[in-house]
Amino acid sequence: MNRAQSIIESQLQKKSERSQLNQLWEEVASVLSPERQGFVSKTMTPTRRTGKIFDTVPMTAKRSLVNSLGAMMRPKSSAPGKWFDIVPQDEDLLDNRPVKEWIEKAEEKLWRALYNPRARFIQATGEVDDDLVTFGTGTGYLGVRADQAGFNFRSFHMASVLLETDADNQVNGVYITEYLTCKQAADRWGKENLGEKTREALENMARSNYSGNRDQKFEFIWCVKTRSEYDPRSDNNLNMPILSLVIDVESEHEVLEEGYPEYPFFHPRWDTRSGEVYGRGIGVLALPSVLTLQQMGKTMLRGLHRAVDPPWLLPADGMVNAPQMRPGGVSYYDAKAIRNLGISDPFRQMESRAQIPWGLNAQSAEREQVMAMFYKNILDLPIDGPQMTATEIIARRETFVAQIGSIFGILESSYTGPIVERGFNIMLRKGAFGEPHEIPEEIQGTSVTFRFASPVEKAKRQIEEASVFQGLEKVILLSQTNPEILNRYNFDEIGKFIAKSNDFPPELTNDDKTVEEIKEANAQAQQQQNMMDVMERGAGALGKLPAPMLEGEAEPAV
C-alpha cells in the first residue's frame, strides 16, 4: 500500500467513525444553521432549507452568542494590540525601553496584517465562530497569499473536515475533502500533477466533439498532519515538521507535497469529554429544547390559523364526507338531520377550543430556556450600573465570570493563541519586524508568549480591584489611630495595579525608569529647597546679632 492509498484508507475510516455524529449535526443544522446542511449528502449546496423552522428565536439567540463571542475574544479597535500582547520570556524586560518599543511596533504590524481586508480574517473567524457555537467544533486556516504579500485566512465546512488527534487528545492532523472539476484542479495544481484518470477527463473535454458532463467533479483529499520523520537541518518544505499532501482519490495519486514549520490550522472545540475528537457545541446541547420550540411553533401556527379561518359545516342532501379540520375546510353533513332537529342556522363554522393563551405562555417559557442555554441572560447582564452598590457590582461580575469564564480559557489555547502565534512566526521569518540585528539583544534567541485580553479577564481584575479598595478603606480607618500602619503598603504598586486592572493606555502611565527619574529629580529639588531654607534661617540669625563694638568703646558690663 502506497502513501496515497494509506491516506485514502485513513480518511474513509475516520469518515465512518463520524457517521452518527454527522446525522446529529445535520439535525442541528436544519433548525439552527440551514445554510450549513450537507453532513449526510455527498456534496454541499448553498440552498437554504428552512422547512423545519417555525420559530426563529433559537437562530437569533445563536447569532447573538456568535457575535458576542467574536467581540469579546477579538475586540476590533484602532488601537493595535487591543486583544493580544506580546510578552518576552523575562517579563521584567517590559520595563526596558528598547524592548518595549520593539514589542509595541511588532504588535502594531501584526495587528494591521491580521485586519488587512485582503486577509479575510474577520470573515473567516466569523464562520468558525458560527460552527463552534452550533456544532462545537470549527476549522480555520492561516497561510500566506499567493503574492506573498500578506495573510490568507480560510474557513471550512465541517462536513468536509475530519480531525486526527494524538494520545493527549490534541488535534495534530486534518483531512479536508474537496470536489473540483478537472479544469479547476488543473488551474490550481497544474495538469501534469493530476492523476491519470483526471488528466484523461481533462483531455477528453478539450475535444470539440465531447458530449459528456463538463461539470463532473473529482474528489481530492488535503491531508495536513505531523510528519513522522524529517531532517530539521534542511530548510526545504519537504523536511518541515508538518506534512501537507494533496491526493487525487480516483487515481490514488499524490498531486502535491509541501510542508509547514508549524501547524497552519486552528480547530477551536467548545467542550470535549475524554476520548472525544469533536467538541459539543451549545447548538448540540440545546437541540431537544430547540426541536420542542419548533414543534410548539408549528402547533401554534396551526391553531391560530384554525381560529382565524375555522372549518365550515355545510348541509348537503346528496353527500356526506369525513370532517375536514384544516383551516377553511368544508365538512358536509345530512341536511335532513338539520330539518328534523329544527336548527335554524344550517351554515356554521366549527368552534375552536384551542387554548391559545396557554400555548403562548408555554412557548414563551421554552424560548427563555433556549435563550438561557445560549447565555443570552448572562451576556445581557449589566456588569455595573448607576444604582448598584459596590457589593452588587462585584456579585454581578462574579456571576459573569463563573458562567462563561472557563470557555475563554479553552478558546485562548485552541483558537486565538494558534492564530496569533502562527501569524507572528510568519512575519518574523519574512523579516516584517526588521532585520535580526534590529531586535534588541535582550530578547534575541529567546521565546515570546502571548497574553490575551477579554471581558472575563477584565472582570476578574476588576473584582480583585474592588476587593483591594474595600480592604484599603478598612486600612485607612485603622491608620487614623495608628498612622504607621500605612508603611506596610506599597502605594506605588497599588497605582500600577489600578492602571492594569482598567487597561490604562500606555501613554497615560510612566514606566519604572521614568518614575525613578522623577523621584530623583524631586529629591534633588527637595535637597536644594532644604539648603535654601537653611541659608535663609542662617541669614536671619546673623541679622539678629548685636552690632560690632567701635574701637575705643568699653565692653558692656555683665
Side-chain angles (χ1 to χ4, degrees):
M1 181 183 296
N2 58 34
R3 187 165 59 169
Q5 293 172 334
S6 175
I7 288 177
I8 293 172
E9 183 177 338
S10 297
Q11 190 259 5
L12 290 174
Q13 176 65 28
K14 295 182 184 303
K15 188 175 182 180
S16 174
E17 292 172 354
R18 210 183 74 175
S19 59
Q20 291 186 352
L21 184 58
N22 282 339
Q23 296 284 348
L24 176 61
W25 280 356
E26 182 74 10
E27 190 172 19
V28 171
S30 67
V31 291
L32 286 174
S33 294
E35 71 281 358
R36 301 300 264 181
Q37 292 183 79
F39 289 96
V40 296
S41 59
K42 183 176 181 180
T43 59
M44 284 77 70
T45 62
T47 306
R48 292 182 63 91
R49 290 161 283 181
T50 57
K52 295 183 178 180
I53 298 176
F54 296 91
D55 194 317
T56 59
V57 167
M59 295 177 64
T60 304
K62 182 209 74 172
R63 173 51 53 185
S64 177
L65 178 56
V66 170
N67 292 338
S68 298
L69 192 67
M72 288 190 291
M73 285 196 302
R74 306 176 301 275
K76 188 177 186 302
S77 168
S78 58
K82 185 66 177 179
W83 55 274
F84 64 87
D85 295 314
I86 299 174
V87 183
Q89 191 172 14
D90 182 3
E91 291 195 30
D92 292 337
L93 290 175
L94 291 173
D95 295 327
N96 182 300
R97 187 173 293 277
V99 172
K100 185 177 181 181
E101 289 177 353
W102 186 88
I103 285 178
E104 288 176 351
K105 290 179 181 178
E107 289 174 349
E108 180 178 358
K109 290 180 179 179
L110 178 55
W111 186 89
R112 295 191 183 282
L114 289 172
Y115 285 98
N116 186 321
R118 295 185 63 190
R120 296 190 71 254
F121 172 68
I122 296 177
Q123 297 92 323
T125 52
E127 293 177 13
V128 174
D129 291 343
D130 198 299
D131 285 348
L132 174 64
V133 171
T134 306
F135 309 113
T137 307
T139 292
Y141 166 82
L142 170 53
V144 180
R145 295 202 305 268
D147 59 5
Q148 300 293 309
F151 293 149
N152 176 37
F153 282 88
R154 295 177 62 190
S155 61
F156 297 89
H157 195 306
M158 285 305 299
S160 65
V161 175
L162 295 167
L163 301 182
E164 185 173 86
T165 58
D166 59 18
D168 297 323
N169 202 31
Q170 298 299 312
V171 179
N172 65 348
V174 62
Y175 297 78
I176 297 177
T177 304
E178 195 168 7
Y179 295 91
L180 302 173
T181 64
C182 54
K183 186 177 184 308
Q184 291 173 331
D187 291 341
R188 180 178 294 185
W189 297 300
K191 175 183 175 181
E192 66 281 1
N193 294 319
L194 301 180
E196 180 181 353
K197 295 181 180 179
T198 310
R199 285 201 312 271
E200 182 180 348
L202 185 64
E203 293 169 356
N204 291 337
M205 288 184 188
R207 298 172 184 169
S208 58
N209 60 347
Y210 179 73
S211 59
N213 181 13
R214 294 183 177 274
D215 294 327
Q216 178 186 0
K217 294 192 174 183
F218 295 82
E219 182 180 0
F220 294 87
I221 297 174
W222 182 19
C223 173
V224 180
K225 61 181 180 178
T226 303
R227 197 187 297 269
S228 57
E229 295 181 1
Y230 68 96
D231 184 359
R233 297 170 297 179
S234 176
D235 58 356
N236 65 67
N237 60 7
L238 298 183
N239 276 289
M240 289 185 176
I242 305 301
L243 166 70
S244 173
L245 192 61
V246 178
I247 302 297
D248 185 338
V249 175
E250 189 168 350
S251 301
E252 297 182 345
H253 171 75
E254 295 183 14
V255 176
L256 178 66
E257 179 180 0
E258 293 179 314
Y260 295 94
E262 64 266 329
Y263 192 64
F265 288 88
F266 45 95
H267 308 282
R269 295 181 290 176
W270 190 272
D271 184 27
T272 57
R273 298 289 184 267
S274 177
E276 290 182 340
V277 177
Y278 301 93
R280 298 170 179 264
I282 300 298
V284 174
L285 300 177
L287 181 61
S289 294
V290 173
L291 292 177
T292 300
L293 189 57
Q294 301 304 334
Q295 188 60 44
M296 282 183 172
K298 183 178 181 180
T299 302
M300 287 296 298
L301 184 63
R302 187 189 302 116
L304 289 169
H305 196 176
R306 188 178 295 154
V308 174
D309 184 16
W312 281 87
L313 285 172
L314 300 179
D317 288 329
M319 61 177 292
V320 176
N321 67 336
Q324 302 296 313
M325 303 303 295
R326 69 180 184 277
V330 178
S331 300
Y332 295 97
Y333 61 93
D334 189 358
K336 293 181 180 179
I338 293 295
R339 290 192 291 269
N340 294 336
L341 295 173
I343 298 176
S344 59
D345 184 16
F347 303 96
R348 61 176 59 192
Q349 292 177 321
M350 290 186 184
E351 181 181 355
S352 174
R353 299 182 181 274
Q355 299 293 329
I356 301 298
W358 184 91
L360 291 174
N361 290 337
Q363 194 175 31
S364 177
E366 196 67 30
R367 283 174 175 169
E368 291 181 2
Q369 182 173 346
V370 169
M371 288 189 290
M373 296 188 75
F374 283 98
Y375 295 101
K376 191 166 179 61
N377 58 332
I378 299 298
L379 296 175
D380 291 345
L381 183 69
I383 298 301
D384 51 25
Q387 305 300 324
M388 296 173 62
T389 65
T391 303
E392 289 174 332
I393 292 174
I394 293 175
R396 289 286 181 91
R397 287 173 177 162
E398 288 177 344
T399 300
F400 178 81
V401 170
Q403 290 289 330
I404 205 169
S406 61
I407 296 169
F408 284 87
I410 296 172
L411 297 182
E412 279 181 9
S413 61
S414 65
Y415 196 179
T416 52
I419 290 175
V420 175
E421 183 174 352
R422 173 154 167 80
F424 177 85
N425 289 335
I426 289 174
M427 296 184 69
L428 185 65
R429 287 192 293 268
K430 290 186 173 295
F433 302 137
E435 297 297 327
H437 67 271
E438 296 176 353
I439 301 175
E441 294 182 3
E442 293 83 354
I443 58 175
Q444 287 186 13
T446 64
S447 61
V448 298
T449 57
F450 302 93
R451 192 159 47 207
F452 302 96
S454 73
V456 173
E457 291 302 320
K458 185 176 180 180
K460 287 180 179 178
R461 293 197 302 268
Q462 290 176 342
I463 290 171
E464 293 176 356
E465 178 192 349
S467 300
V468 167
F469 268 91
Q470 286 182 350
L472 283 177
E473 289 177 358
K474 299 176 182 178
V475 170
I476 292 172
L477 287 175
L478 289 173
S479 68
Q480 294 176 3
T481 58
N482 182 14
E484 293 182 357
I485 196 174
L486 295 178
N487 296 333
R488 186 170 293 277
Y489 299 94
N490 189 335
F491 286 92
D492 185 54
E493 291 296 325
I494 291 174
K496 291 167 64 175
F497 174 76
I498 294 171
K500 182 178 180 181
S501 298
N502 292 275
D503 292 330
F504 278 23
E507 59 269 19
L508 298 185
T509 58
N510 294 323
D511 57 22
D512 290 346
K513 184 177 180 181
T514 304
V515 171
E516 290 301 323
E517 291 173 353
I518 293 173
K519 287 181 179 180
E520 185 176 349
N522 290 340
Q524 292 177 356
Q526 184 64 42
Q527 186 178 3
Q528 291 177 359
Q529 183 65 41
N530 292 340
M531 292 176 63
M532 292 177 64
D533 291 343
V534 170
M535 293 175 64
E536 289 179 0
R537 288 196 299 271
L542 288 174
K544 296 178 181 179
L545 290 176
M549 294 181 293
L550 297 176
E551 187 176 352
E553 283 189 352
E555 242 181 73
V558 179

